[in-house]
Amino acid sequence: MPQIPQKLHELTVGQLSARSGAAVSALHFYEAKGLISSSRTSGNQRRYTRDALRRVAFVRAAQRVGIPLATIRDALAELPEERTPNRDDWARLSAAWRSELDERIRQLARLRDHLTDCIGCGCLSLDTCVLSNPDDVSGDRISGSRLMPEHKAANGAEGGC
């Protein structure tokens, strides 16, 4: 793993990429989404402060457990400007994400347990699909695939996937 001299306070995008393990394109994407920030040199080259390493590690760890980037951005926005997440921040934020993760685990377990049932239809569009419509609870109201939880659309109609 490339070492960054302690006296170096600003990193190029290449140095940040090499040290964090994130592709340069991912770093540009994170910056565009407001997850990390950079300053520009007189030659318009990006420079990142060393704390960007911890922010990138935080983003990647949260992504690995399935936290959406918008949620990660909101969490980082709660921190004072330019401060990186520390152990206490991670504990607080991960506790807040626990119920969301528990629900995803339940959904994945349901998918795992009934995945072989899908082989017969292949399209997940049967009214009585055990994945999208367990126990046919939606049979009287809707039909078709509903792997994602139902939500009210802007016009009041129910939606799914």
Side-chain angles (χ1 to χ4, degrees):
M1 180 176 307
Q3 295 297 314
I4 299 171
Q6 288 295 325
K7 64 183 178 182
L8 188 62
H9 296 289
E10 289 188 328
L11 309 172
T12 66
V13 70
Q15 289 169 322
L16 182 58
S17 173
R19 184 67 172 93
S20 69
V24 169
S25 59
L27 297 173
H28 290 169
F29 180 76
Y30 292 164
E31 188 171 355
K33 294 297 182 184
L35 300 165
I36 60 174
S37 61
S38 68
S39 59
R40 298 290 182 135
T41 66
S42 59
N44 203 30
Q45 296 175 329
R46 288 178 168 92
R47 291 294 185 264
Y48 298 90
T49 56
R50 288 180 66 87
D51 68 298
L53 283 168
R54 185 173 293 158
R55 289 178 79 90
V56 170
F58 179 87
V59 169
R60 295 183 81 197
Q63 280 186 294
R64 274 194 296 279
V65 297
I67 303 300
L69 285 179
T71 304
I72 298 168
R73 183 184 57 241
D74 293 345
L76 289 171
E78 292 179 16
L79 300 175
E81 192 64 33
E82 300 301 318
R83 201 186 103 224
T84 59
N86 59 31
R87 186 179 308 259
D88 291 336
D89 295 325
W90 180 254
R92 179 177 47 83
L93 294 170
S94 62
W97 296 335
R98 186 176 187 86
S99 63
E100 182 179 340
L101 293 173
D102 287 343
E103 178 57 28
R104 286 189 188 168
I105 290 168
R106 280 190 292 279
Q107 290 173 353
L108 287 170
R110 190 175 90 201
L111 175 62
R112 178 203 60 217
D113 294 345
H114 295 288
L115 192 58
T116 56
D117 298 339
C118 294
I119 298 301
C121 76
C123 66
L124 294 177
S125 64
L126 297 177
D127 292 340
T128 58
C129 177
V130 296
L131 286 176
S132 62
N133 189 12
D135 302 319
D136 198 23
V137 296
S138 301
D140 293 335
R141 296 179 293 130
I142 59 174
S143 64
S145 177
R146 298 291 184 270
L147 287 178
M148 300 300 292
E150 295 176 31
H151 63 280
K152 296 283 185 185
N155 63 6
E158 300 215 359
C161 296

mmCIF file of all heavy atoms in Angstrom, residues 104-143:
data_model
loop_
_atom_site.group_PDB
_atom_site.id
_atom_site.type_symbol
_atom_site.label_atom_id
_atom_site.label_comp_id
_atom_site.label_asym_id
_atom_site.label_seq_id
_atom_site.Cartn_x
_atom_site.Cartn_y
_atom_site.Cartn_z
ATOM 1 N N ARG A 104 -33.633 -5.048 5.441
ATOM 2 C CA ARG A 104 -32.996 -5.603 4.243
ATOM 3 C C ARG A 104 -32.626 -7.056 4.441
ATOM 4 O O ARG A 104 -32.750 -7.869 3.530
ATOM 5 C CB ARG A 104 -31.752 -4.798 3.881
ATOM 6 C CG ARG A 104 -32.097 -3.476 3.286
ATOM 7 C CD ARG A 104 -30.877 -2.817 2.745
ATOM 8 N NE ARG A 104 -31.238 -1.471 2.370
ATOM 9 C CZ ARG A 104 -30.372 -0.554 2.081
ATOM 10 N NH1 ARG A 104 -29.096 -0.830 2.117
ATOM 11 N NH2 ARG A 104 -30.763 0.652 1.741
ATOM 12 N N ILE A 105 -32.149 -7.391 5.630
ATOM 13 C CA ILE A 105 -31.806 -8.779 5.935
ATOM 14 C C ILE A 105 -33.051 -9.655 5.836
ATOM 15 O O ILE A 105 -33.008 -10.750 5.269
ATOM 16 C CB ILE A 105 -31.141 -8.885 7.321
ATOM 17 C CG1 ILE A 105 -29.743 -8.256 7.275
ATOM 18 C CG2 ILE A 105 -31.077 -10.334 7.794
ATOM 19 C CD1 ILE A 105 -29.110 -8.033 8.629
ATOM 20 N N ARG A 106 -34.177 -9.182 6.365
ATOM 21 C CA ARG A 106 -35.432 -9.947 6.264
ATOM 22 C C ARG A 106 -35.832 -10.139 4.805
ATOM 23 O O ARG A 106 -36.241 -11.227 4.397
ATOM 24 C CB ARG A 106 -36.554 -9.241 7.031
ATOM 25 C CG ARG A 106 -36.509 -9.473 8.529
ATOM 26 C CD ARG A 106 -37.774 -8.972 9.222
ATOM 27 N NE ARG A 106 -37.895 -7.521 9.197
ATOM 28 C CZ ARG A 106 -37.279 -6.696 10.041
ATOM 29 N NH1 ARG A 106 -36.493 -7.180 10.982
ATOM 30 N NH2 ARG A 106 -37.450 -5.400 9.956
ATOM 31 N N GLN A 107 -35.710 -9.080 3.994
ATOM 32 C CA GLN A 107 -36.063 -9.188 2.577
ATOM 33 C C GLN A 107 -35.145 -10.155 1.844
ATOM 34 O O GLN A 107 -35.604 -10.962 1.034
ATOM 35 C CB GLN A 107 -36.015 -7.811 1.910
ATOM 36 C CG GLN A 107 -37.115 -6.884 2.340
ATOM 37 C CD GLN A 107 -36.931 -5.474 1.777
ATOM 38 O OE1 GLN A 107 -35.913 -5.153 1.170
ATOM 39 N NE2 GLN A 107 -37.931 -4.632 1.988
ATOM 40 N N LEU A 108 -33.853 -10.103 2.131
ATOM 41 C CA LEU A 108 -32.909 -11.006 1.490
ATOM 42 C C LEU A 108 -33.143 -12.448 1.918
ATOM 43 O O LEU A 108 -33.034 -13.371 1.103
ATOM 44 C CB LEU A 108 -31.473 -10.580 1.789
ATOM 45 C CG LEU A 108 -30.998 -9.339 1.054
ATOM 46 C CD1 LEU A 108 -29.654 -8.874 1.599
ATOM 47 C CD2 LEU A 108 -30.912 -9.602 -0.442
ATOM 48 N N ALA A 109 -33.462 -12.657 3.191
ATOM 49 C CA ALA A 109 -33.750 -14.014 3.659
ATOM 50 C C ALA A 109 -34.989 -14.562 2.953
ATOM 51 O O ALA A 109 -35.018 -15.735 2.555
ATOM 52 C CB ALA A 109 -33.942 -14.027 5.170
ATOM 53 N N ARG A 110 -36.001 -13.723 2.783
ATOM 54 C CA ARG A 110 -37.210 -14.152 2.071
ATOM 55 C C ARG A 110 -36.868 -14.503 0.624
ATOM 56 O O ARG A 110 -37.320 -15.519 0.092
ATOM 57 C CB ARG A 110 -38.267 -13.062 2.126
ATOM 58 C CG ARG A 110 -39.624 -13.538 1.606
ATOM 59 C CD ARG A 110 -40.667 -12.468 1.780
ATOM 60 N NE ARG A 110 -40.663 -11.654 0.567
ATOM 61 C CZ ARG A 110 -41.122 -10.431 0.475
ATOM 62 N NH1 ARG A 110 -41.608 -9.817 1.524
ATOM 63 N NH2 ARG A 110 -41.086 -9.781 -0.659
ATOM 64 N N LEU A 111 -36.060 -13.684 -0.010
ATOM 65 C CA LEU A 111 -35.638 -13.957 -1.374
ATOM 66 C C LEU A 111 -34.876 -15.280 -1.433
ATOM 67 O O LEU A 111 -35.158 -16.136 -2.276
ATOM 68 C CB LEU A 111 -34.774 -12.815 -1.893
ATOM 69 C CG LEU A 111 -34.147 -13.009 -3.278
ATOM 70 C CD1 LEU A 111 -35.229 -13.149 -4.336
ATOM 71 C CD2 LEU A 111 -33.231 -11.846 -3.608
ATOM 72 N N ARG A 112 -33.921 -15.464 -0.532
ATOM 73 C CA ARG A 112 -33.125 -16.691 -0.508
ATOM 74 C C ARG A 112 -34.006 -17.913 -0.320
ATOM 75 O O ARG A 112 -33.873 -18.917 -1.011
ATOM 76 C CB ARG A 112 -32.096 -16.613 0.622
ATOM 77 C CG ARG A 112 -31.253 -17.881 0.763
ATOM 78 C CD ARG A 112 -30.662 -18.045 2.150
ATOM 79 N NE ARG A 112 -31.728 -18.112 3.134
ATOM 80 C CZ ARG A 112 -31.648 -17.571 4.351
ATOM 81 N NH1 ARG A 112 -30.578 -16.913 4.717
ATOM 82 N NH2 ARG A 112 -32.644 -17.689 5.193
ATOM 83 N N ASP A 113 -34.950 -17.827 0.609
ATOM 84 C CA ASP A 113 -35.784 -18.982 0.944
ATOM 85 C C ASP A 113 -36.772 -19.345 -0.145
ATOM 86 O O ASP A 113 -37.237 -20.477 -0.208
ATOM 87 C CB ASP A 113 -36.530 -18.721 2.253
ATOM 88 C CG ASP A 113 -35.584 -18.616 3.446
ATOM 89 O OD1 ASP A 113 -34.410 -19.021 3.317
ATOM 90 O OD2 ASP A 113 -36.026 -18.104 4.489
ATOM 91 N N HIS A 114 -37.112 -18.398 -1.012
ATOM 92 C CA HIS A 114 -38.114 -18.669 -2.041
ATOM 93 C C HIS A 114 -37.590 -18.518 -3.464
ATOM 94 O O HIS A 114 -38.370 -18.580 -4.407
ATOM 95 C CB HIS A 114 -39.322 -17.742 -1.842
ATOM 96 C CG HIS A 114 -40.034 -18.009 -0.559
ATOM 97 N ND1 HIS A 114 -40.796 -19.125 -0.346
ATOM 98 C CD2 HIS A 114 -40.042 -17.316 0.602
ATOM 99 C CE1 HIS A 114 -41.275 -19.092 0.887
ATOM 100 N NE2 HIS A 114 -40.825 -18.012 1.480
ATOM 101 N N LEU A 115 -36.303 -18.342 -3.611
ATOM 102 C CA LEU A 115 -35.743 -18.109 -4.929
ATOM 103 C C LEU A 115 -36.025 -19.260 -5.882
ATOM 104 O O LEU A 115 -36.346 -19.030 -7.047
ATOM 105 C CB LEU A 115 -34.237 -17.853 -4.820
ATOM 106 C CG LEU A 115 -33.543 -17.319 -6.054
ATOM 107 C CD1 LEU A 115 -34.182 -16.006 -6.497
ATOM 108 C CD2 LEU A 115 -32.070 -17.097 -5.773
ATOM 109 N N THR A 116 -35.942 -20.485 -5.414
ATOM 110 C CA THR A 116 -36.183 -21.615 -6.311
ATOM 111 C C THR A 116 -37.634 -21.670 -6.768
ATOM 112 O O THR A 116 -37.929 -22.226 -7.820
ATOM 113 C CB THR A 116 -35.809 -22.951 -5.645
ATOM 114 O OG1 THR A 116 -36.538 -23.072 -4.421
ATOM 115 C CG2 THR A 116 -34.321 -23.033 -5.385
ATOM 116 N N ASP A 117 -38.559 -21.066 -6.026
ATOM 117 C CA ASP A 117 -39.954 -21.024 -6.449
ATOM 118 C C ASP A 117 -40.119 -20.201 -7.718
ATOM 119 O O ASP A 117 -41.098 -20.359 -8.442
ATOM 120 C CB ASP A 117 -40.843 -20.421 -5.351
ATOM 121 C CG ASP A 117 -40.829 -21.262 -4.077
ATOM 122 O OD1 ASP A 117 -40.490 -22.456 -4.154
ATOM 123 O OD2 ASP A 117 -41.144 -20.698 -3.015
ATOM 124 N N CYS A 118 -39.177 -19.296 -7.998
ATOM 125 C CA CYS A 118 -39.283 -18.416 -9.162
ATOM 126 C C CYS A 118 -38.921 -19.123 -10.454
ATOM 127 O O CYS A 118 -39.233 -18.624 -11.526
ATOM 128 C CB CYS A 118 -38.360 -17.215 -8.995
ATOM 129 S SG CYS A 118 -38.862 -16.164 -7.654
ATOM 130 N N ILE A 119 -38.257 -20.233 -10.374
ATOM 131 C CA ILE A 119 -37.823 -20.921 -11.580
ATOM 132 C C ILE A 119 -39.021 -21.265 -12.460
ATOM 133 O O ILE A 119 -38.970 -21.164 -13.670
ATOM 134 C CB ILE A 119 -37.021 -22.194 -11.230
ATOM 135 C CG1 ILE A 119 -35.760 -21.818 -10.451
ATOM 136 C CG2 ILE A 119 -36.675 -22.985 -12.478
ATOM 137 C CD1 ILE A 119 -34.815 -20.887 -11.148
ATOM 138 N N GLY A 120 -40.143 -21.624 -11.841
ATOM 139 C CA GLY A 120 -41.321 -22.018 -12.599
ATOM 140 C C GLY A 120 -41.895 -20.898 -13.427
ATOM 141 O O GLY A 120 -42.265 -21.089 -14.579
ATOM 142 N N CYS A 121 -41.955 -19.679 -12.894
ATOM 143 C CA CYS A 121 -42.578 -18.598 -13.666
ATOM 144 C C CYS A 121 -41.530 -17.745 -14.376
ATOM 145 O O CYS A 121 -41.786 -17.241 -15.453
ATOM 146 C CB CYS A 121 -43.454 -17.727 -12.766
ATOM 147 S SG CYS A 121 -42.560 -16.596 -11.704
ATOM 148 N N GLY A 122 -40.388 -17.562 -13.765
ATOM 149 C CA GLY A 122 -39.311 -16.819 -14.396
ATOM 150 C C GLY A 122 -39.498 -15.322 -14.450
ATOM 151 O O GLY A 122 -38.544 -14.573 -14.476
ATOM 152 N N CYS A 123 -40.740 -14.859 -14.457
ATOM 153 C CA CYS A 123 -40.954 -13.426 -14.656
ATOM 154 C C CYS A 123 -41.388 -12.711 -13.392
ATOM 155 O O CYS A 123 -41.493 -11.500 -13.383
ATOM 156 C CB CYS A 123 -42.001 -13.199 -15.738
ATOM 157 S SG CYS A 123 -43.643 -13.774 -15.260
ATOM 158 N N LEU A 124 -41.675 -13.415 -12.341
ATOM 159 C CA LEU A 124 -42.125 -12.827 -11.077
ATOM 160 C C LEU A 124 -43.401 -12.007 -11.244
ATOM 161 O O LEU A 124 -43.630 -11.047 -10.537
ATOM 162 C CB LEU A 124 -41.032 -11.930 -10.465
ATOM 163 C CG LEU A 124 -39.756 -12.620 -10.016
ATOM 164 C CD1 LEU A 124 -38.762 -11.594 -9.511
ATOM 165 C CD2 LEU A 124 -40.031 -13.644 -8.938
ATOM 166 N N SER A 125 -44.235 -12.376 -12.196
ATOM 167 C CA SER A 125 -45.435 -11.580 -12.417
ATOM 168 C C SER A 125 -46.711 -12.290 -11.993
ATOM 169 O O SER A 125 -47.798 -11.778 -12.218
ATOM 170 C CB SER A 125 -45.542 -11.197 -13.898
ATOM 171 O OG SER A 125 -45.702 -12.353 -14.679
ATOM 172 N N LEU A 126 -46.608 -13.448 -11.401
ATOM 173 C CA LEU A 126 -47.806 -14.145 -10.964
ATOM 174 C C LEU A 126 -48.436 -13.451 -9.775
ATOM 175 O O LEU A 126 -47.754 -12.945 -8.891
ATOM 176 C CB LEU A 126 -47.482 -15.594 -10.583
ATOM 177 C CG LEU A 126 -46.959 -16.480 -11.722
ATOM 178 C CD1 LEU A 126 -46.625 -17.848 -11.190
ATOM 179 C CD2 LEU A 126 -48.003 -16.577 -12.823
ATOM 180 N N ASP A 127 -49.745 -13.414 -9.748
ATOM 181 C CA ASP A 127 -50.452 -12.768 -8.643
ATOM 182 C C ASP A 127 -50.121 -13.379 -7.293
ATOM 183 O O ASP A 127 -50.169 -12.711 -6.266
ATOM 184 C CB ASP A 127 -51.970 -12.839 -8.855
ATOM 185 C CG ASP A 127 -52.422 -11.993 -10.021
ATOM 186 O OD1 ASP A 127 -51.670 -11.091 -10.418
ATOM 187 O OD2 ASP A 127 -53.526 -12.237 -10.515
ATOM 188 N N THR A 128 -49.779 -14.635 -7.289
ATOM 189 C CA THR A 128 -49.555 -15.314 -6.008
ATOM 190 C C THR A 128 -48.083 -15.605 -5.750
ATOM 191 O O THR A 128 -47.758 -16.492 -4.980
ATOM 192 C CB THR A 128 -50.339 -16.639 -5.957
ATOM 193 O OG1 THR A 128 -49.911 -17.456 -7.056
ATOM 194 C CG2 THR A 128 -51.833 -16.393 -6.023
ATOM 195 N N CYS A 129 -47.188 -14.879 -6.358
ATOM 196 C CA CYS A 129 -45.754 -15.086 -6.177
ATOM 197 C C CYS A 129 -45.394 -14.973 -4.700
ATOM 198 O O CYS A 129 -45.743 -13.991 -4.041
ATOM 199 C CB CYS A 129 -44.970 -14.062 -6.990
ATOM 200 S SG CYS A 129 -43.184 -14.181 -6.764
ATOM 201 N N VAL A 130 -44.670 -15.977 -4.182
ATOM 202 C CA VAL A 130 -44.317 -15.971 -2.759
ATOM 203 C C VAL A 130 -43.295 -14.899 -2.417
ATOM 204 O O VAL A 130 -43.147 -14.543 -1.254
ATOM 205 C CB VAL A 130 -43.799 -17.352 -2.291
ATOM 206 C CG1 VAL A 130 -44.883 -18.393 -2.405
ATOM 207 C CG2 VAL A 130 -42.562 -17.767 -3.057
ATOM 208 N N LEU A 131 -42.586 -14.373 -3.417
ATOM 209 C CA LEU A 131 -41.632 -13.300 -3.147
ATOM 210 C C LEU A 131 -42.279 -11.938 -3.195
ATOM 211 O O LEU A 131 -42.103 -11.116 -2.297
ATOM 212 C CB LEU A 131 -40.488 -13.340 -4.164
ATOM 213 C CG LEU A 131 -39.492 -14.457 -3.982
ATOM 214 C CD1 LEU A 131 -38.481 -14.419 -5.113
ATOM 215 C CD2 LEU A 131 -38.782 -14.340 -2.658
ATOM 216 N N SER A 132 -43.010 -11.685 -4.267
ATOM 217 C CA SER A 132 -43.560 -10.353 -4.434
ATOM 218 C C SER A 132 -44.918 -10.175 -3.779
ATOM 219 O O SER A 132 -45.360 -9.060 -3.578
ATOM 220 C CB SER A 132 -43.655 -10.007 -5.920
ATOM 221 O OG SER A 132 -44.518 -10.911 -6.571
ATOM 222 N N ASN A 133 -45.582 -11.282 -3.440
ATOM 223 C CA ASN A 133 -46.922 -11.205 -2.874
ATOM 224 C C ASN A 133 -47.124 -12.365 -1.897
ATOM 225 O O ASN A 133 -47.948 -13.237 -2.136
ATOM 226 C CB ASN A 133 -47.944 -11.239 -4.019
ATOM 227 C CG ASN A 133 -49.344 -10.941 -3.555
ATOM 228 O OD1 ASN A 133 -49.551 -10.491 -2.447
ATOM 229 N ND2 ASN A 133 -50.302 -11.220 -4.410
ATOM 230 N N PRO A 134 -46.377 -12.384 -0.791
ATOM 231 C CA PRO A 134 -46.474 -13.515 0.133
ATOM 232 C C PRO A 134 -47.903 -13.707 0.638
ATOM 233 O O PRO A 134 -48.583 -12.737 0.976
ATOM 234 C CB PRO A 134 -45.527 -13.157 1.276
ATOM 235 C CG PRO A 134 -44.988 -11.819 0.979
ATOM 236 C CD PRO A 134 -45.500 -11.347 -0.332
ATOM 237 N N ASP A 135 -48.343 -14.952 0.638
ATOM 238 C CA ASP A 135 -49.690 -15.324 1.088
ATOM 239 C C ASP A 135 -50.780 -14.582 0.313
ATOM 240 O O ASP A 135 -51.892 -14.436 0.799
ATOM 241 C CB ASP A 135 -49.852 -15.080 2.596
ATOM 242 C CG ASP A 135 -48.832 -15.864 3.402
ATOM 243 O OD1 ASP A 135 -48.584 -17.046 3.055
ATOM 244 O OD2 ASP A 135 -48.266 -15.300 4.346
ATOM 245 N N ASP A 136 -50.456 -14.087 -0.864
ATOM 246 C CA ASP A 136 -51.399 -13.390 -1.741
ATOM 247 C C ASP A 136 -52.111 -12.243 -1.036
ATOM 248 O O ASP A 136 -53.270 -11.959 -1.284
ATOM 249 C CB ASP A 136 -52.408 -14.379 -2.337
ATOM 250 C CG ASP A 136 -53.108 -13.804 -3.563
ATOM 251 O OD1 ASP A 136 -52.539 -12.888 -4.190
ATOM 252 O OD2 ASP A 136 -54.219 -14.242 -3.869
ATOM 253 N N VAL A 137 -51.399 -11.535 -0.167
ATOM 254 C CA VAL A 137 -52.007 -10.433 0.573
ATOM 255 C C VAL A 137 -52.406 -9.269 -0.330
ATOM 256 O O VAL A 137 -53.286 -8.489 0.015
ATOM 257 C CB VAL A 137 -51.081 -9.910 1.704
ATOM 258 C CG1 VAL A 137 -50.856 -10.977 2.757
ATOM 259 C CG2 VAL A 137 -49.752 -9.440 1.128
ATOM 260 N N SER A 138 -51.766 -9.170 -1.485
ATOM 261 C CA SER A 138 -52.072 -8.061 -2.386
ATOM 262 C C SER A 138 -52.994 -8.470 -3.522
ATOM 263 O O SER A 138 -53.310 -7.652 -4.379
ATOM 264 C CB SER A 138 -50.775 -7.503 -2.988
ATOM 265 O OG SER A 138 -49.922 -7.068 -1.967
ATOM 266 N N GLY A 139 -53.429 -9.713 -3.559
ATOM 267 C CA GLY A 139 -54.185 -10.229 -4.682
ATOM 268 C C GLY A 139 -55.463 -9.472 -4.981
ATOM 269 O O GLY A 139 -55.883 -9.396 -6.130
ATOM 270 N N ASP A 140 -56.097 -8.912 -3.972
ATOM 271 C CA ASP A 140 -57.340 -8.183 -4.200
ATOM 272 C C ASP A 140 -57.103 -6.765 -4.710
ATOM 273 O O ASP A 140 -58.001 -6.149 -5.255
ATOM 274 C CB ASP A 140 -58.154 -8.097 -2.896
ATOM 275 C CG ASP A 140 -58.653 -9.458 -2.451
ATOM 276 O OD1 ASP A 140 -58.807 -10.342 -3.325
ATOM 277 O OD2 ASP A 140 -58.873 -9.628 -1.242
ATOM 278 N N ARG A 141 -55.888 -6.230 -4.519
ATOM 279 C CA ARG A 141 -55.633 -4.832 -4.859
ATOM 280 C C ARG A 141 -54.754 -4.643 -6.083
ATOM 281 O O ARG A 141 -54.968 -3.723 -6.844
ATOM 282 C CB ARG A 141 -54.964 -4.121 -3.680
ATOM 283 C CG ARG A 141 -55.850 -4.041 -2.454
ATOM 284 C CD ARG A 141 -55.132 -3.354 -1.301
ATOM 285 N NE ARG A 141 -54.022 -4.203 -0.859
ATOM 286 C CZ ARG A 141 -52.774 -3.791 -0.694
ATOM 287 N NH1 ARG A 141 -52.462 -2.551 -0.889
ATOM 288 N NH2 ARG A 141 -51.838 -4.615 -0.311
ATOM 289 N N ILE A 142 -53.723 -5.475 -6.215
ATOM 290 C CA ILE A 142 -52.748 -5.269 -7.289
ATOM 291 C C ILE A 142 -52.336 -6.603 -7.878
ATOM 292 O O ILE A 142 -52.591 -7.653 -7.301
ATOM 293 C CB ILE A 142 -51.492 -4.538 -6.772
ATOM 294 C CG1 ILE A 142 -50.833 -5.334 -5.647
ATOM 295 C CG2 ILE A 142 -51.807 -3.129 -6.350
ATOM 296 C CD1 ILE A 142 -49.508 -4.767 -5.184
ATOM 297 N N SER A 143 -51.673 -6.553 -9.018
ATOM 298 C CA SER A 143 -51.067 -7.745 -9.593
ATOM 299 C C SER A 143 -49.698 -7.373 -10.111
ATOM 300 O O SER A 143 -49.352 -6.200 -10.208
ATOM 301 C CB SER A 143 -51.942 -8.314 -10.722
ATOM 302 O OG SER A 143 -52.008 -7.375 -11.765
#
